[in-house]
């Protein structure tokens, strides 16, 4: 290899020793090549500038870097000591190339700012160094039970269990249905303050139908996500409830919700044929129908295991998603129209004349829910009448239900029930006011789970049998409800229904909490158990809810009580046996799970 010119040798002899990595910032600033820009902004194309050369690598130059094939291939990896040959340099195999812009000192200034910060007074202060030392000591791995427990509890919320498969004899299908009303129904003149749009206007009805499907059937569609998409709208609703609805917190909530439950899917198979569709005839079995209403800050996907278990035992269940401002977030979809976001509403979000009050808001929301429940019944009847393709599938903005034509005459509206949880239980009681009295509402009964304590007055005018189930948390916590204890209000309501129609039950499910009938304890069993102090394992508790619900639904069909529904009253008041004799008579396996407060059965 030829020696460098004398002026460059003199310059090179005055340089500091080379950095072991092979580069010096002065080298990179000095040795600009064709097309590179020096610090003065001038190009060097066509000039014979000096090039970087490491004399320590003379022996390997020709082998490693001297070939034109190496220099012409930009995909080859950079090495610690590259040699760049210039067109008129002293290399025998010279090739024209450009020094990458990211190697020019002017464009690498961003690399230097972390070192400036690192040497600032803050990071060199005694206080900062002491804090770092304490953090290192705190997070130093050590195998103690306290440290292991802390670590597990810290990371556990970020791992959710998958929803279990349904245990009934049938597979379970799921179809999302959203169709517009023939004419929108405006419940009131109340406006959303931020948008000046009507707050309570029913434009579409959205529900997921869970139904029995043939065992082993396969679906060509992906399963429904447990958290509806986009996740951000649900996260915004939770942030709004918490009173921290700003851009920064919304993003945190969205990330947390995605991390905890973003990968959870509902086990039901999407848009598969209804059980028996492949051999349908005029003698095919009909399936009882249930309309289910969710609670406050919930959605149609929060009860998928409970509802799916009913479907796996031969029931068709429509889980309605309410757009009354109680759902964390929802999207109204109408074909050929722009999507409309529906967000959770608080009293302060509404504007009305006179000014909105909590009782008035609950009244309007319950009227909104009534309209959605009746519309869901109408859509299901349309399907049963054989119009599932033209009047439902073609209008369904969720693009599911291609085989609804095969559902004709398969739904048993003589066995229709309306059920709900929490705010949805209050709404179900409201809807049952016209139960089995009008063509629009042929319901013959209802299942009422933890009727709301802050969701408005409970309708006591119920003309059909009902099953009311309290979680232990709901019965144990003393709450004043319109001037009376909530427990006493519910007990007296059920007694009145029982006296009027001959059948009604009020039970407490022991070892459970308000969320026990939802999917939440299945996804986070340990966390929910710690927070709610439940004593019955989540899957076992849900199995008891399903069992007593099936017993009630069979009673409506056969008029014969089964299971715990055959039992007389054990506790007129929560946790207070009526007498010692009744305590001895009550089967031990039932006493583990239930207290009976109201029953049509009488003790001998």
């Amino acid at each position: 290899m030829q020696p460098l010119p004398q002026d460059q040798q003199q310059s090179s002899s005055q340089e500091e020793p080379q950095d072991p990595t092979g580069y010096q910032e002065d080298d990179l600033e000095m040795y600009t090549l064709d097309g590179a820009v020096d610090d003065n902004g001038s190009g060097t194309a066509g000039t014979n500038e000096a090039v970087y050369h490491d004399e320590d690598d003379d022996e390997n130059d020709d082998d490693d870097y001297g070939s034109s094939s190496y220099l012409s291939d930009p995909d080859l990896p950079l090495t610690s000591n590259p040699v760049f040959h210039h067109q008129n340099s002293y290399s025998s195999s010279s090739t024209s190339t450009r020094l990458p812009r990211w190697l020019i000192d002017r464009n690498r200034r961003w690399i230097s700012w972390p070192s400036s910060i690192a040497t600032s007074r803050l990071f060199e202060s005694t206080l900062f160094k002491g804090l770092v030392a304490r953090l290192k000591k705190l997070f130093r791995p050590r195998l103690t039970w306290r440290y292991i427990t802390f670590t597990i509890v810290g990371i556990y919320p970020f791992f959710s269990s998958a929803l279990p498969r349904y245990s009934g004899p049938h597979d379970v299908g799921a179809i999302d249905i959203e169709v517009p009303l023939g004419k929108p129904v405006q419940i009131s003149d109340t406006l959303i303050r931020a948008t000046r749009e009507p707050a309570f206007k029913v434009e579409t009805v959205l529900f997921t139908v869970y139904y029995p499907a043939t065992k082993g059937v396969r679906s060509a569609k992906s399963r429904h996500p447990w958290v509806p998409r986009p996740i951000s709208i649900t996260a915004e609703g939770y942030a709004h409830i918490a009173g921290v609805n700003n851009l920064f917190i919304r993003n945190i909530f969205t990330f947390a919700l995605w991390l905890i439950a973003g990968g959870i899917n509902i086990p039901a198979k999407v848009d598969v044929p209804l059980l028996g569709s492949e051999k349908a005839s005029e003698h095919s079995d009909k399936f009882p129908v249930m309309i289910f209403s969710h609670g406050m800050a919930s959605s149609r996907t929060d009860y998928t295991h409970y509802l799916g278990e009913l479907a796996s035992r031969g029931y068709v269940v429509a889980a309605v998603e309410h757009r009354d401002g109680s759902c964390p977030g929802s999207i109204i979809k109408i074909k050929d129209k722009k999507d409309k976001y529906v967000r959770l509403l608080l009293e302060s979000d509404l504007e009305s004349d006179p000014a909105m009050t909590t009782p008035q808001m609950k009244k309007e929301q319950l009227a909104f829910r009534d309209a959605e429940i009746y519309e869901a019944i109408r859509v299901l009847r349309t399907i049963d009448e054989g119009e599932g393709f033209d009047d439902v599938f073609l209008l369904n903005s969720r693009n599911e239900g291609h085989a609804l034509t095969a559902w004709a005459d398969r739904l048993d509206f003589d066995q229709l029930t309306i059920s709900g949880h929490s705010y949805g239980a209050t709404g179900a009681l409201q809807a049952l006011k016209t139960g089995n009295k009008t063509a629009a509402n042929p319901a013959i009964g209802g299942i009422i789970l933890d009727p709301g304590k802050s969701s408005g007055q409970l309708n006591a005018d119920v003309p059909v049998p009902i099953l009311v189930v309290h979680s232990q948390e709901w019965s144990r916590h003393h709450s004043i409800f319109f001037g009376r204890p909530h427990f006493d209000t519910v007990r007296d309501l059920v007694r009145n229904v029982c006296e009027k129609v001959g059948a009604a039950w009020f039970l407490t499910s022991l070892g459970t909490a308000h969320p026990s009938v939802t999917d939440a304890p299945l996804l986070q069993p340990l966390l929910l158990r710690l927070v709610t102090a439940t004593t019955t394992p989540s899957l076992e508790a849900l199995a008891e809810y399903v069992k007593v619900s099936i017993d009630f639904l069979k009673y409506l069909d056969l008029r014969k009580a089964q299971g715990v529904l055959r039992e007389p009253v054990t506790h007129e008041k929560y946790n207070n046996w009526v007498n010692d004799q009744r305590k001895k008579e009550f089967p031990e396996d039932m006493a583990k799970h239930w207290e009976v407060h109201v029953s049509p059965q009488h003790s001998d």
Side-chain angles (χ1 to χ4, degrees):
M1 183 170 290
Q2 298 181 18
L4 293 172
Q6 183 175 358
D7 58 343
Q8 293 187 22
Q9 291 178 0
Q10 182 178 359
S11 174
S12 175
S13 65
Q14 297 175 0
E15 293 177 355
E16 294 180 4
Q18 292 291 322
D19 185 89
T21 60
Y23 289 114
Q24 295 290 319
E25 285 190 344
D26 292 339
D27 295 335
L28 296 174
E29 180 176 347
M30 172 183 175
Y31 301 119
T32 56
L33 302 179
D34 288 352
V37 181
D38 59 24
D39 282 345
N40 296 324
S42 60
T44 60
T47 64
N48 293 332
E49 297 283 350
V51 295
Y52 176 75
H53 183 75
D54 191 342
E55 295 181 355
D56 293 336
D57 287 338
D58 280 343
E59 296 180 0
N60 299 322
D61 282 350
D62 294 338
D63 294 337
D64 295 333
Y65 305 107
S67 68
S68 60
S69 62
Y70 174 84
L71 294 171
S72 62
D73 188 351
D75 292 326
L76 288 176
L78 293 173
T79 64
S80 60
N81 283 313
V83 175
F84 295 93
H85 296 281
H86 192 269
Q87 183 174 357
N88 293 320
S89 70
Y90 300 97
S91 170
S92 60
S93 57
S94 59
T95 302
S96 177
T97 185
R98 294 183 179 183
L99 186 68
R101 295 179 63 85
W102 57 271
L103 284 178
I104 301 173
D105 181 67
R106 183 170 63 88
N107 291 321
R108 296 174 67 243
R109 291 171 184 169
W110 61 273
I111 298 177
S112 63
W113 71 265
S115 59
S116 300
I117 295 178
T119 57
S120 66
R121 293 181 180 179
L122 172 64
F123 291 94
E124 292 180 347
S125 66
T126 303
L127 177 64
F128 178 78
K129 291 180 179 179
L131 178 62
V132 171
R134 291 177 67 88
L135 289 175
K136 286 182 178 179
K137 183 178 180 180
L138 176 64
F139 291 104
R140 183 180 72 252
R142 47 196 180 273
L143 295 178
T144 66
W145 71 267
R146 290 185 179 89
Y147 186 83
I148 294 172
T149 301
F150 174 82
T151 302
I152 292 174
V153 171
I155 67 174
Y156 180 80
F158 301 108
F159 298 93
S160 292
S161 303
L163 290 169
R165 295 183 180 274
Y166 308 115
S167 62
H170 311 301
D171 274 5
V172 177
I175 297 175
D176 277 346
I177 295 177
E178 181 173 12
V179 294
L181 277 66
K183 180 180 179 181
V185 176
Q186 187 161 326
I187 303 300
S188 69
D189 294 329
T190 301
L191 301 177
I192 300 173
R193 192 183 304 275
T195 63
R196 309 296 298 171
E197 294 181 349
F200 302 115
K201 183 179 181 181
V202 186
E203 300 179 63
T204 70
V205 62
L206 168 63
F207 56 90
T208 300
V209 183
Y210 297 97
Y211 56 92
T214 303
K215 202 75 174 178
V217 67
R218 294 179 178 272
S219 173
K221 297 184 178 180
S222 300
R223 297 190 177 183
H224 292 152
W226 188 72
V227 181
R229 286 351 185 214
I231 292 178
S232 59
I233 190 172
T234 300
E236 180 180 349
Y238 291 145
H240 194 40
I241 295 173
V244 289
N245 188 17
N246 57 63
L247 180 62
F248 178 70
I249 298 298
R250 280 200 303 271
N251 287 332
I252 292 178
F253 274 48
T254 299
F255 177 72
L257 190 57
W258 170 82
L259 191 65
I260 293 170
I264 301 297
N265 292 322
I266 300 169
K269 300 175 181 180
V270 176
D271 209 0
V272 295
L274 180 68
L275 178 65
S277 296
E278 68 280 0
K279 53 180 180 179
S281 69
E282 60 182 25
H283 302 295
S284 296
D285 292 337
K286 289 190 173 186
F287 302 108
V289 179
M290 175 188 288
I291 307 295
F292 189 86
S293 177
H294 65 74
M296 181 69 182
S298 299
S299 73
R300 72 189 192 280
T301 64
D302 283 1
Y303 306 83
T304 64
H305 188 75
Y306 171 69
L307 302 181
E309 286 288 350
L310 298 181
S312 73
R313 289 162 172 78
Y315 295 86
V316 171
V317 187
V320 180
E321 181 152 295
H322 296 294
R323 273 69 173 275
D324 60 342
S326 64
C327 179
S330 188
I331 303 177
I332 295 176
K333 291 178 174 286
I334 302 176
K335 286 191 173 183
D336 302 324
K337 289 188 178 182
K338 186 179 179 180
D339 291 351
K340 179 180 178 181
Y341 284 72
V342 180
R343 291 173 169 82
L344 186 137
L345 296 175
L346 302 177
E347 188 179 323
S348 58
D349 298 322
L350 303 177
E351 184 175 303
S352 63
D353 186 17
M356 181 58 65
T357 62
T358 299
Q360 182 61 26
M361 179 179 178
K362 302 301 182 185
K363 182 179 179 180
E364 295 182 11
Q365 285 183 317
L366 290 172
F368 193 102
R369 286 177 171 238
D370 261 4
E372 290 178 307
I373 289 172
Y374 296 149
E375 183 64 15
I377 295 173
R378 184 197 68 79
V379 173
L380 290 173
R381 273 189 152 171
T382 300
I383 294 172
D384 188 59
E385 292 168 357
E387 303 299 328
F389 186 82
D390 292 338
D391 293 349
V392 179
F393 174 68
L394 294 181
L395 297 177
N396 184 11
S397 57
R398 305 292 169 147
N399 298 315
E400 295 177 8
H402 68 284
L404 287 176
T405 303
W407 289 43
D409 203 29
R410 299 297 307 281
L411 306 181
D412 189 355
F413 285 94
D414 291 336
Q415 296 294 314
L416 173 70
T417 53
I418 300 176
S419 306
H421 175 246
S422 194
Y423 203 176
T426 304
L429 282 173
Q430 181 79 11
L432 287 172
K433 186 173 185 178
T434 60
N436 211 20
K437 286 185 176 181
T438 65
N441 184 10
I444 63 167
I447 299 176
I448 311 301
L449 307 173
D450 277 0
K453 294 186 176 183
S454 58
S455 50
Q457 287 188 316
L458 303 177
N459 170 50
D461 183 13
V462 180
V464 294
I466 56 174
L467 168 66
V468 177
V469 180
H470 267 194
S471 63
Q472 184 170 359
E473 177 190 22
W474 223 236
S475 290
R476 182 177 61 238
H477 289 175
H478 182 77
S479 304
I480 299 300
F481 184 75
F482 292 93
R484 296 187 63 206
H486 181 269
F487 181 91
D488 294 351
T489 301
V490 174
R491 182 194 59 206
D492 292 348
L493 185 155
V494 179
R495 280 177 177 172
N496 291 335
V497 174
C498 190
E499 292 174 1
K500 182 164 48 176
V501 304
W505 289 264
F506 177 28
L507 314 175
T508 290
S509 174
L510 299 178
T512 60
H514 191 55
S516 289
V517 74
T518 72
D519 294 338
L522 300 177
L523 300 176
Q524 294 283 348
L526 178 59
L527 183 62
L528 266 292
R529 195 166 186 173
L530 291 173
V531 171
T532 61
T534 57
T535 57
T536 302
S538 53
L539 199 57
E540 181 181 340
L542 263 167
E544 288 296 318
Y545 274 101
V546 171
K547 183 179 179 180
V548 75
S549 298
I550 295 293
D551 287 343
F552 176 73
L553 295 172
K554 287 184 176 179
Y555 169 82
L556 295 177
D557 183 25
L558 306 174
R559 295 294 164 171
K560 182 179 179 180
Q562 302 180 47
V564 71
L565 301 187
R566 292 182 300 182
E567 295 294 324
V569 172
T570 62
H571 302 70
E572 290 188 349
K573 296 182 180 180
Y574 167 72
N575 201 30
N576 189 358
W577 286 91
V578 291
N579 54 55
D580 291 339
Q581 182 64 27
R582 189 71 191 95
K583 184 176 181 179
K584 293 178 181 179
E585 295 173 348
F586 197 44
E588 185 177 344
D589 59 330
M590 293 184 183
K592 176 184 177 182
H593 294 291
W594 299 106
E595 289 184 2
V596 182
H597 308 299
V598 177
S599 171
Q601 313 301 329
H602 301 283
S603 299
D604 294 333

